[in-house]
Every structure is written in structure tokens, then in C-alpha cells.
Amino acid sequence: MGDLPVVLGGTSLRAGKAWPRWPQWDAAERAGLLGVLESGDWWTGAGTEAAAFATEMAHFHDARYGLAVTNGTHALEAALVACGVGAGDEVIVPALTFVATATAVLAAKATPVVVDIDPDSLCIDVDAAEAAITPRTRAIIAVHVAGAACDLDALTDLCTRRSVQLVEDCAHAHGTRWRGRGVGGFGSFGTFSFQASKLMTAGEGGAIVTNDDTLRARAQSYINCGRVEGEHWYHHATYGTNLRMTEWQGAVLRAQLARFPEQHRVRNDNARLLDGAIAEIPGLRPQGQDARMDSQGRYCYVFHYDAREFASLPLDAFEAALAAEGVVHDVSYPSLSRLALFRHESYARTWSVPRAERAASSTVWLEHRMLLAPSDDVLDIARAAARIHAHAGAVAREAADRRAC
Ligand SMILES: *Cc1c(COP(=O)(O)O)cnc(C)c1O
């Protein structure tokens, strides 16, 4: 066989071929940065870039209002505080997410209650969320994992019936649409991140979107030192802090948003192609997608891995074999239930979330920049996986030998 995997001495399919880099920028970001520099208006109190970006971001997702903040973690914190979440309250969060979804609850002085996920889409299990509601529950944070929309029909219905606020953590889901509407505006708030790995970036940054004017004003006050719009500059009515974005970030993000629709289209087209190719390989299955989602922001390309179809090759050894082929992978988040943070005495909690724990050790997370390559390059990902599958027995023996050393 001339098609040996690289880990068994074969030649990489990707030899001499590079993936697109991330982040991407051009003269638009440069002009934006220079414009801010030369205006002398470097903070949001003086300039207009961050505020204009936040409004453009909100409108792009069909929400009325947008606020620009320091990062996605602070966006969640401000959204929760503006929802009235505070000491003694509980906030329901899914187990398979970045730690910030839970630590933002702690920052709002409330208690995260971690619930299990749907094993196919990896998003919050709405029945598990309902079962976890207590008289102290103030909000549910729904994370659109790797851009796959949560069941927003069921979540909005649940939150209305039980008088709980819905916050969408859209840190992975720039551009995701549910039944024709952008995510972020289905509940009280949606939050976005513009950290370096995300689908739009200024290195760091965050945004909050909402359709509710009262909630907008509360969040605006919290991120701007407790100020009240229309009142004296040093009138501070409630506790707030400084979570303002800089004008530099605003200018860069306006350029990133202008470029986004075309990148989003390319990623969606390539991901659909890759879904078909991945689904043909025994033991691999693309992340589940609800048919009501029209379009998916692809923070990562995720697929399920069943080691039984790969001669029991452990997930990390499969990922290493893929990496040797030149496929750039990330790793799954661990389930929140496994974090040392939640074993610490002041936060110690135990949650039963077996599906999230299983998903964390049976899903492959690939970097989104590969989806910006020409389609035939993107199919190299499936070719590499197919190669490893065809030689799974030998790859598994090699991995076991290496481990035994
Ligand atoms: C990145 C991320 C955040 C936090 O965003 P930062 O800008 O890094 O603070 C929150 N939730 C999820 C799901 C994320 O991936």
C-alpha cells in the first residue's frame, strides 16, 4: 500500500501545502487602526468605533442593541448582572463548555448548576435544564457549541413557562442562524467573544446583544462604572465596573465583520462537503445539526470518534496521527464536572453529567482556519482520517508500543 499513514512511515497528504493562517487582516484593519491613532480618540468615551461595531454586530444577528466590552467572559458577567442575577441565585449551564460560562456565574456572585448535554449536537439538554430548575434559578446559559445552535424553540418556551431568563453564549456562533434569525436575540441577552481563536478577532474583545431597552441600559451601566445615561458623569447609581472595549479593537472588529459573510459562506460550504466525507468513514460522525439551524458559525469543526471502529486506538493517539498528517486539531473542553476548580472547597460541587464526560473523550475538534482553504484541501482532512482507519490495527499497535516505552 502506497498510502501509509505518516505515523507508520508514509508521506503526508499535506506535504508542501499550508493551511490558511488565522487571524486574517488586510488594508481595512490597517486603515481602521491608523484612523483611531490619528484621531487621538483612543477610548470609547471619545470615539465612535467600538459603539458602531457593537451596533453593526447586533444588527448582523437581527438584534436591536449591541454593547462592546473587554472580552466574552465579561460579556457573560454583565449580561447576568443585568438580568438581576446575584447572591443566592442559581444559573444553569451546560457541562461541555469553556470554563468562562461557569466562572461568569461566580463573578455575578451566583452558583452555577451544571447539566448534561445532548450527545449528538453537544449542546445543552433542555429536559435536563428543566429538571434542574429550583425556586432559586434565575437564568439558563445556552452555549451554541462549535456554532451548532441549541434548540432555541424549546429553550425559549421553557424560559417563558418557568420565568427564567435565557442568555445565549454565542462565543462559538458568530453567524449562526436559527429559523432565519441570527442567534443572540432569542432570550434576554446574547454574548460574543473576539479572543484570538474566535471567528472574528481583535486579539481580545466581547459584545453583548439584546432586544430589550431596559436590559440594555442595565448592562451599559454595569460595564461603565455604574453610570446612568443622561445623568451627571459622576452620578453612579448602582455598582458597576469598567468593562469597556478600546477604540483600537472596535476599528479592527468593524473590518473583521465586513469580511465575515464571505468567510462564513466558504466555511459553511466546505464544512458541508467535509460532513459528507467524514460520514463515510466507519467510526466517524459529524456533530449533530438541528434542521432548524440555517447556517452555522464554525468555531471548530467537530466530529464524533468511535475507537471501536479504529482497533481501540485511543482518541489522543488518533488525534496525534491526524496531526502527523498535517491536520490541525484543538482538543475538547473537559466536562466542567472534572475541573479542579469545582473540587476546591469553596466551590466544591458534584454533578452527574455522563454524556458530557463521554463526549469530552470521544470528539475531535479541528481549527476553523482549515475550512477557509480550497475545497479539495479541506477534503484532505477526511482522506487523512480514512488512511488512519485503513491501517487502524497497525496504528493502534504502534501507539501502544510507544506508550509502553
Ligand atoms: C471563548 C469563550 C468564552 C470567553 O470569551 P473570552 O473572550 O475568551 O473571555 C466564553 N464562552 C465560550 C463558550 C467560549 O468559547
Side-chain angles (χ1 to χ4, degrees):
M1 294 218 202
D3 204 25
L4 274 183
V6 173
V7 286
L8 298 178
T11 307
S12 170
L13 290 161
R14 300 290 308 156
K17 289 193 273 183
W19 295 108
R21 69 180 172 186
W22 191 260
Q24 297 192 354
W25 70 92
D26 64 16
E29 278 82 355
R30 195 170 296 124
L33 284 169
L34 282 174
V36 170
L37 178 74
E38 279 154 14
S39 74
D41 296 334
W42 296 354
W43 76 300
T44 54
T48 55
E49 293 294 313
F53 164 68
T55 300
E56 288 161 9
M57 185 71 187
H59 291 175
F60 184 71
H61 291 86
D62 307 304
R64 202 166 294 151
Y65 307 113
L67 302 174
V69 294
T70 36
N71 58 56
T73 308
H74 285 154
L76 282 167
E77 175 187 331
L80 292 171
V81 170
C83 283
V85 171
D89 292 336
E90 294 175 351
V91 176
I92 294 169
V93 303
L96 195 72
T97 182
F98 182 57
V99 67
T101 311
T103 52
V105 177
L106 298 176
K109 303 183 174 59
T111 302
V113 173
V114 174
V115 301
D116 216 345
I117 57 163
D118 174 87
D120 191 26
S121 71
L122 309 175
C123 291
I124 191 165
D125 176 332
V126 182
D127 293 333
E130 175 150 27
I133 292 177
T134 74
R136 293 168 166 239
T137 306
R138 190 62 87 110
I140 297 173
I141 305 179
V143 182
H144 304 304
V145 177
C150 298
D151 184 342
L152 285 165
D153 294 355
L155 279 165
T156 48
D157 174 64
L158 170 62
C159 289
T160 306
R161 273 192 292 111
R162 303 295 296 269
S163 302
V164 167
Q165 314 226 36
L166 175 63
V167 174
E168 293 171 71
D169 180 344
C170 307
H172 296 181
H174 314 65
T176 294
R177 301 183 76 78
W178 177 262
R179 291 203 291 107
R181 240 177 85 197
V183 294
F186 284 82
S188 296
F189 286 104
T191 64
F192 290 87
S193 165
F194 309 110
Q195 176 269 340
S197 69
K198 304 293 158 78
L199 292 165
M200 268 176 231
T201 183
E204 300 280 6
I208 306 171
V209 303
T210 183
N211 286 306
D212 185 296
D213 188 45
T214 305
L215 290 175
R216 181 203 61 80
R218 292 227 292 258
Q220 172 60 40
S221 178
Y222 186 72
I223 68 175
N224 193 20
C225 314
R227 293 195 162 96
V228 180
E229 290 163 306
E231 295 286 346
H232 185 271
W233 183 243
Y234 292 123
H235 174 87
H236 303 280
T238 55
Y239 171 74
T241 183
N242 175 3
L243 304 181
R244 297 184 302 257
M245 180 184 272
T246 68
E247 287 293 285
W248 312 105
Q249 291 163 290
V252 168
L253 287 166
R254 290 185 85 182
Q256 294 271 304
L257 178 58
R259 193 180 299 105
F260 181 83
E262 176 57 15
Q263 290 177 331
H264 181 72
R265 186 191 64 72
V266 171
R267 279 190 297 258
N268 267 263
D269 289 353
N270 280 332
R272 223 164 285 134
L273 210 61
L274 188 54
D275 282 347
I278 287 287
E280 283 178 18
I281 301 167
L284 304 187
R285 184 167 50 88
Q287 177 189 19
Q289 293 149 329
D290 195 300
R292 291 164 291 180
M293 173 175 66
D294 318 293
S295 179
Q296 181 175 353
R298 291 276 184 170
Y299 168 59
C300 278
Y301 180 89
V302 176
F303 60 92
H304 296 275
Y305 172 73
D306 184 351
R308 289 170 304 186
E309 295 279 354
F310 281 78
S312 300
L313 178 68
L315 177 70
D316 59 346
F318 173 71
E319 289 170 332
L322 269 185
E325 301 291 334
V327 175
V328 212
H329 74 89
D330 207 328
V331 289
S332 172
Y333 302 113
S335 170
L336 293 176
S337 55
R338 293 290 174 97
L339 297 186
L341 163 68
F342 294 116
R343 298 178 194 279
H344 184 278
E345 51 190 292
S346 49
Y347 301 120
R349 296 284 187 286
T350 47
W351 298 292
S352 173
V353 287
R355 293 190 298 264
E357 292 181 356
R358 202 171 316 121
S361 58
S362 62
T363 50
V364 178
W365 297 57
L366 303 181
E367 289 190 10
H368 61 76
R369 65 193 173 94
M370 292 189 291
L371 296 176
L372 292 174
S375 300
D376 193 59
D377 286 52
V378 175
L379 289 173
D380 278 343
I381 296 168
R383 292 184 191 113
R387 231 184 196 196
I388 297 163
H389 181 263
H391 299 272
V395 174
R397 279 192 299 280
E398 195 272 341
D401 288 349
R402 205 156 8 91
R403 234 162 259 237
C405 291

